[in-house]
Amino acid sequence: MAPDNNSSEDCVTTEKNEELNTFAKNAGARVGLTSDEIIINGGRPLQGRIEVRGAKNLATKAMVAALLGKSASVLKNVPNISDVRTVAGLLALHGVLITRGEEPGEWRLDPTNVELAHKADIDAHAGSSRIPILFCGPLLHRLGEAFIPDLGGCRIGDRPIDFHLDALREFGAVIEKLPSGISLTAPNGLKGANIELPYPSVGATEQVLLTAVLAEGQTELKNAAIEPEITDLIAILQKMGAIISMEPNRVIFIEGVPELKGYRHRAIFDRNEAASWAAAALATEGDIFVGGARQEEMMTFLNVFRKVGGEFEVEDDGIRFYHPGGELKPVTIETDVHPGFMTDWQQPLVVALTKAPGVSTIHETVYENRFGFTDALNQMGADIVVHKDGIQDYKRRVARREFEQAAVISGPTTLTGAKVEVPDLRGGFSHLIAALTAEGQSTVTNVGIISRGYEDFIGKLRQLGADFIFEG
Ligand code: EPU
C-alpha cells in the first residue's frame, strides 16, 4: 500500500499551499529534458529491449476518475510523461493529494478534500493538454460547478468539443463560454440521459462515462468508442462501484449509483508507444523487444506490420519486433476507430513505407490535419504527396469523413540527414525514426513535445544503441 505520508520526499504534492501551486503551474513542463534539440547520426539499426508503461490515453483519464471516489485511489504503471504531470497539476489545484506509492509508477490520489481552484491558477494550464475537458462531470458531481481552461494537445485538426458539451447539456449541465475557457453549473443536478454520438469519439465517450456513473438514473450511450483504453477506464469505474455494461453495436449502458469509492488498478500498456518502437525497429532494420506490449490490443497493427514485411514474436512479457531481411512491401491503410488501424500508428510507420518499393497509400479518416509531419520527410528525400480531399482507391473499405486526406508514399527512397522541427507528438516520433534511418547527420528540434507521450525516449534510444548527441 502506498505511504500516506505528506512529508515524505516522494510526495508529489502536499497541501494546497504556495509550493503546491508552483508545482501545479510548472507541471506541464517537459519531463527530464533540458534541451530541445537532438543530433542524430543515422544508419545504425536499433537493437535491444525497452519497456513500455501505462498508456498515456488511459492513465490521464484514470487520474481524473479518482476525483469521483469518496476514498483514495491507487494507480500503478503511470508513465513519467508531461501529459500526466499536467493532469496531476490540475488535480492538485483542486485539492487532490497525490503521493507516490511503493513501486515505480505507482501513484496514490486522495480526493477527500476536493475544492474549487482559483481560475487564475487553472488558467496557467490553458493550452497544455486536452484532458481538462474531462474534469467537467466529476467536478460538477463533487462541487456543483467547474471551470475548464482553453484546451491544448497536438495541433492535428480543429479538435472541437461540441460532442462533449452537447452530452453534458443532456445530463443537465449549464455551460457558459468565457474568454479564457468554459464555466459549468448543474442547478438541478445531473440526470441520466439517452445520448447518441455523431462519431465514436474517444474523449466524448469518456466524458459520458465519467458523468453518467454518478448521475441520477440510467444513461444509454450509442455510437460509443470502444478502444481498449475505454474498456480499461470502465474496469476502473466498475472497481469504484459503478454499474456499466458494454453492449453490442457500440452501446454502453450505465446505471447511476449514489456514491463511488477509490480504486486500485494497473494501467493498460501504451499500445501507441509499442507501435512506435515497432515501426522504429522496422525502419532501421533493427530488432526491438518491447516489454509490456500485448498482442490482443495490437492485432490490427500486427497484421499491417507483417504485411509491410516486418516480423514479430509474442512472448508472455512483451513482443519482439524485427526486420527479417528482404524488401519491405507497400500497403494501403485507412485509419479508423477501434478495432481499426489507429490514427496514432500511421506517422511512425510511414518512415518504413518510404523504403518499400512501390506505392503505399494512407487514408487519414480521424483527424483533418495529421500529415504535417510528411513535409520534413520529403525534405529528407522521401516522395510523399498529400491529397487534401482524399483519393479513390479500390482497396478502401468505406468512405468515412468529408475532410479526409490521403498520403501517397512512393518508394523506395533514401533519406538524408536534415534539420527538422517536431510538429506534434506522433509526427515527432516519426522524425526521430527518419533521422535514425537517414544517411548522415540530422538535427531534430522541438523534441520536448515528444516527452508529452513517450517516457524517457532519450534513455530508450541510448539503450537501443542509437548514435546521437543530446545535451540534456
Ligand atoms: N471530435 C469532434 N467533436 C468532439 C470531439 C471529437 O468533432 O467534441 C472529432 C475530432 O476533431 C476528431 C474525431 O472526432 O476528428 C476523433 O476525436 P476523439 O474525440 O476520438 O479524440 P480525442 O479523445 O480528442 C484521443 C487521444 C488521441 C487519439 C484519439 C483517437 C487522448 C488524450 N487523445 O483523442 O491521441 O488519436 O483519441 O484514438 O486520449 C495521441 O496520443 O497522440 C493522440 C492524439
Side-chain angles (χ1 to χ4, degrees):
M1 188 61 200
D4 186 10
N5 177 1
N6 293 357
S7 61
S8 144
E9 212 178 69
D10 279 333
C11 197
V12 180
T13 66
T14 51
E15 54 191 278
K16 192 158 176 153
N17 57 19
E18 213 34 53
E19 187 193 336
L20 182 154
N21 279 333
T22 308
F23 168 81
K25 278 180 187 151
N26 294 333
R30 293 167 301 161
V31 177
L33 292 190
T34 50
S35 168
D36 232 4
E37 184 176 290
I38 180 169
I39 296 168
I40 296 179
N41 295 312
R44 201 186 271 187
L46 294 188
Q47 280 167 337
R49 176 178 177 133
I50 48 116
E51 303 295 319
V52 292
R53 280 219 269 186
K56 161 176 95 64
N57 293 347
L58 178 276
T60 45
K61 290 60 176 294
M63 292 167 72
V64 179
L67 272 174
L68 293 163
K70 283 258 176 202
S71 51
S73 291
V74 175
L75 183 62
K76 299 180 184 194
N77 211 19
V78 179
N80 188 18
I81 53 175
S82 58
D83 267 15
V84 158
R85 296 210 147 239
T86 302
V87 178
L90 208 49
L91 285 169
L93 282 178
H94 288 90
V96 177
L97 183 69
I98 306 177
T99 47
R100 292 200 201 283
E102 285 158 2
E103 59 177 78
E106 181 177 317
W107 286 34
R108 183 173 190 275
L109 304 111
D110 186 347
T112 316
N113 297 316
V114 165
E115 59 186 347
L116 277 177
H118 292 297
K119 273 196 188 144
D121 291 337
I122 302 176
D123 250 352
H125 289 268
S128 52
S129 160
R130 292 189 62 74
I131 311 297
I133 191 67
L134 297 179
F135 278 62
C136 294
L139 287 182
L140 283 174
H141 281 303
R142 290 298 304 262
L143 305 168
E145 58 181 290
F147 170 72
I148 309 298
D150 283 337
L151 302 178
C154 287
R155 288 190 293 273
I156 49 183
D158 273 353
R159 306 191 79 181
I161 52 168
D162 50 337
F163 305 164
H164 294 251
L165 301 187
D166 289 349
L168 286 162
R169 286 193 191 98
E170 296 282 341
F171 284 108
V174 175
I175 300 166
E176 191 189 348
K177 291 195 176 151
L178 305 174
S180 58
I182 53 171
S183 167
L184 300 97
T185 51
N188 302 312
L190 296 169
K191 308 243 169 15
N194 289 326
I195 297 166
E196 178 162 4
L197 295 177
Y199 180 79
S201 149
V202 169
T205 299
E206 292 158 346
Q207 182 76 264
V208 170
L209 287 169
L210 292 168
T211 308
V213 282
L214 283 179
E216 191 189 321
Q218 301 175 334
T219 295
E220 186 183 66
L221 176 63
K222 288 187 181 155
N223 207 21
I226 50 167
E227 269 62 8
E229 295 79 14
I230 299 268
T231 310
D232 210 35
L233 181 62
I234 291 175
I236 288 172
L237 293 168
Q238 189 180 51
K239 286 177 177 175
M240 297 177 82
I243 300 176
I244 304 172
S245 41
M246 287 183 93
E247 301 183 351
N249 302 321
R250 296 190 175 276
V251 175
I252 301 181
F253 190 70
I254 305 127
E255 297 175 49
V257 295
E259 184 174 300
L260 295 171
K261 59 185 183 210
Y263 64 80
R264 285 181 68 80
H265 191 78
R266 176 171 291 277
I268 188 174
F269 79 101
D270 198 315
R271 61 201 175 110
N272 291 341
E273 187 187 356
S276 298
W277 289 112
L282 191 58
T284 64
E285 301 185 12
D287 188 336
I288 302 180
F289 188 90
V290 181
R294 292 199 328 205
Q295 180 181 18
E296 194 181 324
E297 291 81 5
M298 297 191 72
M299 281 189 162
T300 308
F301 177 83
L302 294 174
N303 285 335
V304 173
F305 190 77
R306 182 169 276 157
K307 282 204 273 187
V308 177
E311 256 316 329
F312 57 88
E313 283 164 15
V314 179
E315 303 291 346
D316 288 349
D317 59 342
I319 304 179
R320 173 186 171 209
F321 296 94
Y322 61 100
H323 189 311
E327 282 190 341
L328 297 184
K329 297 177 213 67
V331 283
T332 296
I333 300 171
E334 180 163 315
T335 66
D336 205 347
V337 293
H338 188 74
F341 189 91
M342 280 197 85
T343 166
D344 306 286
W345 294 338
Q346 54 103 339
Q347 301 89 330
L349 200 63
V350 162
V351 184
L353 296 178
T354 65
K355 304 190 176 307
V359 178
S360 296
T361 310
I362 297 189
H363 296 270
E364 171 59 55
T365 78
V366 180
Y367 289 111
E368 305 92 313
N369 188 16
R370 223 174 183 182
F371 285 127
F373 72 99
T374 58
D375 289 345
L377 268 48
N378 282 339
Q379 193 189 328
M380 296 172 89
D383 178 354
I384 306 173
V385 179
V386 176
H387 296 259
K388 268 185 83 178
D389 301 317
I391 54 168
Q392 294 293 326
D393 190 308
Y394 72 99
K395 287 184 194 150
R396 296 199 65 187
R397 294 172 301 115
V398 280
R400 191 68 66 172
R401 309 193 69 178
E402 281 173 20
F403 44 66
E404 68 195 16
Q405 321 157 68
V408 176
I409 304 134
S410 303
T413 47
T414 303
L415 303 188
T416 44
K419 182 162 184 171
V420 295
E421 184 180 336
V422 167
D424 61 69
L425 178 62
R426 309 291 168 201
F429 201 86
S430 81
H431 287 187
L432 289 183
I433 301 176
L436 289 161
T437 64
E439 284 178 359
Q441 194 172 76
S442 298
T443 303
V444 186
T445 61
N446 206 23
V447 291
I449 291 184
I450 300 174
S451 48
R452 276 196 42 224
Y454 293 89
E455 182 181 66
D456 189 23
F457 68 93
I458 295 287
K460 289 177 186 174
L461 284 174
R462 202 164 279 133
Q463 253 168 281
L464 296 171
D467 180 2
F468 66 92
I469 303 165
F470 180 75
E471 314 228 328

